[in-house]
Amino acid sequence: MATRSSHLRQAVSIGASLSFAMAIGLGWYANRLRRSRWLETDKEQNQETTHSVINHFSSLILDPETTVEEANKRRTTSYYLKMREAHHKSLVLGVYPSRLKKLRKKEIDRTLSYWNKGNQSHRTIVCMCDEITQKVLSNARRLVLAPLQYSSDIDSLSAWIPDFNIIPKEDMHVTIALPWWWHTIRPGNNELTKKMANRFKQTLLVEFHYGFQIELERIVLLGGKVLVALWRCVGERETDDGRVIVDRHGTNIDPMVWLREEIVRCFITESPDQRRQPLTYQHNKSEGDKAEENAWQHTIMQRTPGMGKPGSADGFIHTTLCRLPLDCLSSKDVELDELHRMCRELSATLNGHRMVVDKYRFIETMGEGGESNPCYKPIYDEIIEAPARHEVHIDGTVESRNAQVSDVLERHNTIGPSGNFWNEEVVPSAPSTDTQSSGTTLSALFEPPKK
């Protein structure tokens, strides 16, 4: 009887241990799933409504009269919320090695689906990043992705990023507008593209869209998938003592919001004298297909960043740097917390970097460069410059000047360790018998003079 009782207690003990182990395992698995996908609840979505500085900014409606300060409040609120959502995705689940290559081939086919069709194209307007900005963003991307130790080899079992998912430094750009989304190329396509490029050029000149500056706000891994640099506009404001300051609180009309609104208007509406007709896919369809036109929102509004549905425009300005293929990234689980941390640190380091938007590219692409690079082998490519601002003096002479463009480009370099935090190779300066080298680090400044 005692032996039977002992066996019963042992069985109960084993059962309890198994139950405990199963509970631990289920808890670990549930947490793994939670970190690998967005599981938002009403509580998470509204956790900042009771006491929030930015909550009411999310309801601001942008229009062509919106000032730089107002538009920045709306767009930077959106950026912050996107960053917070991005942190919900902190783990990418590994894939069985036997399925990995098949999924990666499927990802390549999906990314190049329009190119593989051979008869599709879309038109976009972009502003290319200058050389300094290209260098800054390229180095930032390198630091963010470094923890992945990724490869472009499709057979690799570790983290994999195909080459076309990493935007080449020389192709980095800010997307201004997308006049036509993907469509089938038909006879007269090139003439239509030239007509659209001329329409955009006329809009710049007639509405006096001068060059303007944008300022880096933050770098974010959106959804744990798309690495982007997010920008805000800067404008002029006047202090009480009459001084003019150019910053994010400008009181002039936001140039990016205004430019996008005018681009949309010039393509989807006709002029009062009917000399300018709409140039959209919907308007170029046959009469029988136009019955539902009033219920249709043009793709130029749907696809142009920062616009979207009426009332939902947030003034989004971005540069895509890289896309991670989350469905086939690696054979092992990949932690993204390190990448998110690097994004936050780089945002703090690079916040405020500026570039000038005064030269545009009207591009038609067939998708050979992947999802985010229309600059790779376009079938149409035209550079269109913003009109120059002229100042007429009292003696009648006319002077051309660039708005808000500083002459200082290279004089901001810092001596010391912070001057080379990218860990780039330092090229030693040529020896000189006349002057003494100041050194490349801060400690070198305090070394005793050489005799």
Side-chain angles (χ1 to χ4, degrees), residues 333-374:
D333 290 356
V334 176
E335 294 280 350
L336 296 181
D337 285 334
E338 185 84 1
L339 277 68
H340 290 310
R341 181 183 64 81
M342 286 303 303
C343 285
R344 293 193 300 271
E345 291 187 5
L346 286 164
S347 297
T349 305
L350 303 176
N351 182 289
H353 171 86
R354 295 185 183 182
M355 67 174 256
V356 178
V357 178
D358 65 348
K359 188 178 293 185
Y360 307 93
R361 287 178 69 181
F362 194 101
I363 295 174
E364 183 175 8
T365 179
M366 296 184 68
E368 190 175 358
E371 290 181 277
S372 301
N373 187 11

Side-chain angles (χ1 to χ4, degrees), residues 71-80 217 232 248:
N72 280 336
K73 287 177 179 178
R74 178 67 177 90
R75 62 170 58 101
T76 55
T77 295
S78 176
Y79 295 166
Y80 169 74
E217 163 79 15
R232 59 187 179 229
R248 62 184 296 181

Side-chain angles (χ1 to χ4, degrees), residues 282-283 285-298:
Q282 190 69 17
H283 285 93
K285 290 169 68 175
S286 62
E287 292 296 328
D289 293 333
K290 291 185 179 181
E292 298 181 1
E293 184 175 324
N294 292 333
W296 174 267
Q297 186 188 23
H298 297 286

Side-chain angles (χ1 to χ4, degrees), residues 41 51 63 69 84 115 119 127 149 173-174 194 199 203 216 276 280 284 289 304 328 341 344 351 353:
T41 62
H51 182 71
D63 59 44
E69 181 180 17
R84 194 181 69 185
W115 167 248
N119 64 346
C127 173
Q149 299 181 345
H173 60 274
V174 172
K194 291 180 179 179
R199 176 72 59 83
T203 300
L216 187 62
R276 186 194 74 229
T280 65
N284 279 268
D289 293 333
T304 293
C328 51
R341 181 183 64 81
R344 293 193 300 271
N351 182 289
H353 171 86

